[in-house]
Amino acid sequence: MVFPEHQQLQPEDLLRFIAQQQEQIIQLKEQIELLEAEIRRLKKLPAKPDIKPNTKPPDDDSGSSDGAPSAPDGDDGASPETSSKQKVKKPNEKTRKQRKQARKPLVEKSIPIAATDVPQGSIRNGTTPFYVQELTIQTFSIEYLLEQWVTPDGQTITAKPPASLHGHHYGPMLQAYVLQQYHGCSVTQPELLDWLWDIGISISSGELSQLLTKGHEQFHAEKDELLTTGIRCSSYIQTDDTGTRHKGKNGYCTIINNGPLSGSRAQSAKAGKIS
């Protein structure tokens, strides 16, 4: 509908014109959707997903406020899909517990602090505790005097260092700290080396690399026993395998798991032996 410029428009004509424009817009939208669907089909693209709009869940008192009859007991009027999504699983013994804050350590030192600007004539009312937690990082060296003996045939027998050192020149606490920072906190080796230098540890990058890679036979033995122990203690297991590359060769990765157990092993496609 086209109106002349000199013609005075009436409200009825404007409403009729708006209604016609709305119908044309709806027709154009439908035509655009058909053309877009045809383009996707020709280009072999996935169809447009049918995404339903979000709906607000009904309130408990919505029926009484609007005057509409409320739903009977045990049925909130929602569809089975909506009601199942709104259900929250209760925690059980398999639910992972959140880590709680550690307890405060025992007080090892008490330092009295005198009040200042106390007016004359005031009465002392005891003390009030103000607890502070502190961390002490101290480096020190231990000298092990290894006893030596010379046998009658001229051989020298030297005592061995403690087994807890694992052949390193660094104590077990320092070794545990390095492993925890590297594997547990994802601290890179250069950053860990800088931190050790900052606190006064004399260590090279090569020695730090040996601390991270050498002398961990007990950890590897424990890891190798996990799968066998888990299978022995499980009432059922599930297995699956997939193709993978292992040591530059095609092979298989076998997965064994159930509820609390999960393990994987890479094996050769020819020999069929777990490596």
Side-chain angles (χ1 to χ4, degrees):
M1 178 181 294
V2 180
F3 299 98
E5 296 180 358
H6 60 279
Q7 182 179 357
Q8 186 176 4
L9 301 178
Q10 299 297 326
E12 295 81 3
D13 298 333
L14 290 175
L15 293 175
R16 193 181 307 108
F17 176 73
I18 293 173
Q20 292 178 358
Q21 292 293 323
Q22 186 175 4
E23 292 180 358
Q24 292 179 2
I25 291 173
I26 294 175
Q27 295 176 359
L28 291 174
K29 284 185 176 180
E30 294 177 353
Q31 187 177 4
I32 289 174
E33 291 180 356
L34 292 176
L35 293 175
E36 289 180 349
E38 182 66 16
I39 291 173
R40 292 193 201 94
R41 186 185 67 82
L42 295 175
K43 291 186 175 182
K44 297 182 180 180
L45 299 176
K48 183 179 180 181
D50 186 12
I51 302 176
K52 297 181 180 180
N54 295 330
T55 57
K56 183 179 179 181
D59 299 333
D60 295 338
D61 55 349
S62 59
S64 60
S65 60
D66 298 339
S70 59
D73 296 339
D75 186 8
D76 56 355
S79 62
E81 296 180 359
T82 306
S83 60
S84 62
K85 291 181 180 179
Q86 292 177 355
K87 291 181 180 179
V88 179
K89 294 183 179 180
K90 296 182 179 180
N92 51 24
E93 64 277 1
K94 295 183 180 180
T95 305
R96 183 177 180 182
K97 298 181 180 180
Q98 294 183 353
R99 189 172 182 179
K100 296 182 179 180
Q101 181 179 351
R103 295 182 178 180
K104 293 183 179 179
L106 299 177
V107 178
E108 297 183 359
K109 182 189 298 185
S110 297
I111 302 177
I113 299 179
T116 58
D117 301 332
V118 179
Q120 189 175 3
S122 301
I123 300 175
R124 192 175 187 273
N125 192 25
T127 59
T128 179
F130 184 82
Y131 297 103
V132 175
Q133 300 181 54
E134 186 57 284
L135 174 66
T136 301
I137 299 178
Q138 181 182 2
T139 61
F140 57 92
S141 296
I142 301 175
E143 181 183 10
Y144 290 100
L145 301 177
L146 305 181
E147 199 174 47
Q148 287 187 343
W149 292 79
V150 179
T151 62
D153 56 357
Q155 296 182 0
T156 302
I157 300 177
T158 305
K160 296 182 179 180
S164 59
L165 299 179
H166 305 289
H168 299 292
H169 291 273
Y170 303 94
M173 292 298 296
L174 180 57
Q175 295 183 33
Y177 175 79
V178 168
L179 293 176
Q180 192 271 341
Q181 289 293 309
Y182 184 77
H183 296 286
C185 300
S186 300
V187 180
T188 62
Q189 186 170 335
E191 293 179 350
L192 186 56
L193 182 63
D194 290 340
W195 165 248
L196 294 175
W197 286 354
D198 290 340
I199 63 177
I201 298 294
S202 178
I203 185 173
S204 64
S205 59
E207 291 172 330
L208 178 59
S209 178
Q210 290 185 355
L211 278 180
L212 297 172
T213 57
K214 304 295 184 181
H216 305 316
E217 290 77 11
Q218 57 180 351
F219 296 116
H220 295 294
E222 182 180 356
K223 177 182 70 67
D224 295 338
E225 294 175 359
L226 285 176
L227 183 59
T228 305
T229 305
I231 294 176
R232 186 171 61 251
C233 299
S234 299
S235 58
Y236 75 96
I237 58 172
Q238 298 173 342
T239 62
D240 193 7
D241 56 3
T242 182
T244 185
R245 295 278 293 178
H246 181 61
K247 295 182 179 180
K249 298 179 181 180
N250 293 330
Y252 292 95
C253 179
T254 303
I255 302 171
I256 302 174
N257 66 340
N258 55 19
L261 172 66
S262 177
S264 61
R265 289 292 186 272
Q267 61 186 8
S268 173
K270 293 182 179 179
K273 296 180 180 179
I274 295 178
S275 56

